[in-house]
Amino acid sequence: MPTSPGPLRAYYRLVPRIRGLEPERRRTWVSLIAAWAGLVIPGLLLGIWLWRLGGGWFHLLAPPLAAAALAAWLSPSLIYPFKHEFKRKVIRPMMRELLRDVDYAPLGSVSPLDLEASLLFQAPFTGVEGEDLVIGRYDDVEVKFSEVVGYREVESRGAATPLAPRSGQKLRTKQVVFRGLFFVAEFNKPTRGQVVVHPDRLEPHLGPIAAALQPRHEEGGLVHVRMEDPRFERHFVVYASSPETAHYALTPALMEQLAEFRERVGAPVAFSIHYGKLYMAVATRKNMLEPPLFGPLASPRVFRGYLEDVELFLALVEALGLNRRIWGEGTWP
């Protein structure tokens, strides 16, 4: 990445600001421990008391487990003020230091329209939430990416209870369908067709979240195309408007870079190419750009972790040659 020696300079400039947040980190840590102790310990004592009165294992375990569930529900609200302040005072200046033409929005997200336009998901999401939006120009290429949680609302009838044995009330719950990183960039190769590439269903790491990345080839009239790169075929399955379109877009060099990227991230990857854009979804649970709560903020190792989060996709721009307009003004076959 062409940011060196920028990272080192950015780190030393931000060290005083990072150290200034240490008292708030410690206060957040203490508040979190106090909340857990203040809920779980009384719950445990209550369970022991009920058990000694003649209750069973349920009476012993239910109060502390309920208390722990409540503590887990309250924890994000206790951590949020510190996390938001850290991203405002540290991550945003770091981005401006390293990437002059790229902006960072801690509470921003890629648009739900981008997810829909990508053709990577089986059905539209009811809602999309996200954070850590990086957007702007990098090496003369328009890029944007963020963490994304896509969910659908599911209706179910309320369970019958002794007080309401015929409960017919419908409950709406959020079902997370996709959680990961979503990336959009200019694709300078002229496009007059669609190429949609999904994780191979036989991949051992394909879990229930990644299963949301299902092809929509039946809707768009796309056909399955076999590629000649064994390494690429091991990770991906390709659908395109035609075999000629797939082979024209996915050159041997491009397939090699995408397979290498897939192996580097160690998570299911799906991408599509059409309308002059490259869309990519990476099904990972890793939280980007998060401050450590139980360790020193100013550690060089921690700072390097932030750089790796961003470099993951910015390096992709270079690796795929998205910053080089080398194809001219040709057309699809």
Side-chain angles (χ1 to χ4, degrees), residues 171-311:
L171 303 176
R172 298 184 68 87
T173 58
K174 290 182 180 180
Q175 181 183 47
V176 174
V177 179
F178 174 78
R179 184 191 303 272
L181 302 176
F182 194 82
F183 173 86
V184 185
E186 288 181 300
F187 190 74
N188 296 321
K189 197 167 190 177
T191 56
R192 283 193 183 177
Q194 297 173 345
V195 178
V196 181
V197 181
H198 288 268
D200 192 308
R201 294 183 181 182
L202 299 179
E203 272 201 293
H205 295 96
L206 189 60
I209 292 179
L213 303 171
Q214 294 297 331
R216 293 167 55 184
H217 54 284
E218 294 179 358
E219 297 179 22
L222 305 182
V223 297
H224 177 229
V225 181
R226 286 196 172 275
M227 309 304 291
E228 297 177 356
D229 187 324
R231 184 185 180 193
F232 183 85
E233 279 280 304
R234 187 163 60 248
H235 296 300
F236 300 109
V237 56
V238 178
Y239 296 88
S241 302
S242 67
E244 293 80 12
T245 297
H247 287 95
Y248 181 76
L250 299 173
T251 62
L254 184 58
M255 286 191 289
E256 181 182 351
Q257 294 289 356
L258 287 166
E260 184 175 325
F261 178 78
R262 162 62 185 86
E263 292 168 2
R264 177 181 174 186
V265 299
V269 174
F271 65 93
S272 61
I273 301 168
H274 58 105
Y275 301 119
K277 299 283 187 181
L278 182 141
Y279 302 89
M280 180 173 287
V282 181
T284 175
R285 290 182 175 273
K286 181 183 180 183
N287 236 345
M288 290 175 58
L289 306 173
E290 294 295 304
L293 192 60
F294 301 103
L297 295 175
S299 165
R301 179 184 57 80
V302 172
F303 193 82
R304 180 61 199 170
Y306 304 142
L307 297 178
E308 289 174 353
D309 287 340
V310 178
E311 286 177 355

Side-chain angles (χ1 to χ4, degrees), residues 298-329:
S299 165
R301 179 184 57 80
V302 172
F303 193 82
R304 180 61 199 170
Y306 304 142
L307 297 178
E308 289 174 353
D309 287 340
V310 178
E311 286 177 355
L312 185 66
F313 277 112
L314 297 185
L316 182 66
V317 174
E318 298 175 343
L320 301 185
L322 299 177
N323 57 330
R324 299 191 300 275
R325 299 181 181 273
I326 61 177
W327 292 290
E329 298 297 329

Side-chain angles (χ1 to χ4, degrees), residues 32 35-37 39-40 64-79:
L32 197 62
W36 276 82
L39 289 169
V40 175
L65 289 177
L70 179 59
W73 180 74
L74 289 173
S75 293
S77 62
L78 296 175
I79 297 171

Side-chain angles (χ1 to χ4, degrees), residues 14-29 81-91 93 291-293 295-298 306:
L14 290 171
V15 161
R17 191 173 298 190
I18 295 172
R19 288 176 176 164
L21 289 170
E22 277 290 345
E24 187 170 349
R25 180 189 69 81
R26 287 192 289 268
R27 283 194 297 269
T28 302
W29 181 84
F82 163 66
K83 183 174 78 170
H84 179 69
E85 193 71 358
F86 179 85
K87 290 188 176 185
R88 186 178 68 86
K89 290 185 176 180
V90 176
I91 300 298
L293 192 60
L297 295 175
Y306 304 142

